[in-house]
Amino acid sequence: EGVIADFDAIAAMLKFFIGKVHSRYKFVKPRIAFAVPHSITEVEKRAVYDAALSAGAREVFLIEEPMAAAIGVGLPVDQPSGNMIIDIGGGTTEIAVIALNGIVCDTSIRVGGDELDEAIVTYIKKNHNLLIGDQTAENIKKTIGSAHKFDDEREMEVKGLYQVSGVPKTLKISSLEIREALQEPIQSICDALKQSLEQTPPELAADIKDRGIVLTGGGALLKGLPELLREQTDLPINLMDDPLFCVVLGTGKILDDFEKYRPVIMRGGRN
């Protein structure tokens, strides 16, 4: 859900990445930036900070994921006009209104791509007595998953363990069933967006009405999601190119031009 669950595993992973980047310079201590959920707690911040230091970092900086995504897609985050961004990651969905290098209002829910996969696993188990894994669920989501109805509904074969007999079984699942399975977590995202719009100051709401809402993150690739959000808010929804990489590209831009983006950085520490 966007935060560290296994400290030792994260530290080992960071050491590997640092070694891969600085393979010729074993004693280099790099500056590292992390994109983290806006709702992260002080304890969770400290876990990120300590994991990076134990992996060999010189300095550690934290950037809120909506801000990193906005910079990654090229939004003018330093301007007084309002920009709204929805970043649907693996563990969290971050919805933020950004102006003057800051997040004016933010709604963060721990619903993301992982939750969608879990909903598919639960639905197939409940309705077909078939046990499937997370990778199978993700493949179903990518292949026939959707948030909005389409004229051409599709089917695909799914393999899993049939609970009744305890042996492997193959069955056909329709896109209509998967849309039903995803209804609850998708509606949670829609409700969070509406809540965020209600909290937006009127002068910035006018900017959002004109410019629309930017949609990023791997979860944004779910078919029909922009159409559903547009239908529920009556606002333009702009799905970015390569939405999966917006946060990491924004984090890279911040490190490349540190002085320009210094105002958006939340420094990691033991506060």
Side-chain angles (χ1 to χ4, degrees), residues 106-125:
D106 172 90
T107 302
S108 178
I109 58 172
R110 297 203 170 185
V111 175
D114 296 341
E115 186 88 7
L116 300 182
D117 296 342
E118 189 178 319
I120 293 172
V121 171
T122 302
Y123 179 90
I124 293 176
K125 179 181 177 181

Side-chain angles (χ1 to χ4, degrees), residues 167-232:
V167 298
K169 182 180 178 180
T170 301
L171 58 83
K172 284 191 176 181
I173 298 290
S174 71
S175 55
L176 184 64
E177 287 184 280
I178 300 306
R179 188 161 60 252
E180 182 183 339
L182 297 176
Q183 186 174 358
E184 187 175 336
I186 292 297
Q187 191 57 50
S188 297
I189 294 172
C190 293
D191 292 342
L193 175 56
K194 292 175 186 176
Q195 180 185 339
S196 189
L197 287 168
E198 289 171 1
Q199 297 171 351
T200 303
E203 60 273 17
L204 298 183
D207 295 331
I208 294 167
K209 176 69 175 175
D210 293 338
R211 298 182 177 191
I213 299 170
V214 171
L215 186 59
T216 67
L221 294 169
L222 181 68
K223 297 179 185 71
L225 186 56
E227 290 82 358
L228 179 65
L229 296 176
R230 193 177 300 124
E231 189 178 273
Q232 295 219 3

Side-chain angles (χ1 to χ4, degrees), residues 107-157:
T107 302
S108 178
I109 58 172
R110 297 203 170 185
V111 175
D114 296 341
E115 186 88 7
L116 300 182
D117 296 342
E118 189 178 319
I120 293 172
V121 171
T122 302
Y123 179 90
I124 293 176
K125 179 181 177 181
K126 180 180 177 181
N127 292 275
H128 296 284
N129 287 317
L130 194 73
L131 292 177
I132 62 169
D134 292 338
Q135 285 189 326
T136 301
E138 185 177 15
N139 185 41
I140 293 169
K141 179 182 67 179
K142 290 179 177 179
T143 306
I144 61 171
S146 68
H148 195 273
K149 60 183 179 182
F150 291 98
D151 293 333
D152 56 333
E153 299 290 351
R154 294 187 294 162
E155 291 184 335
M156 71 175 288
E157 287 191 344

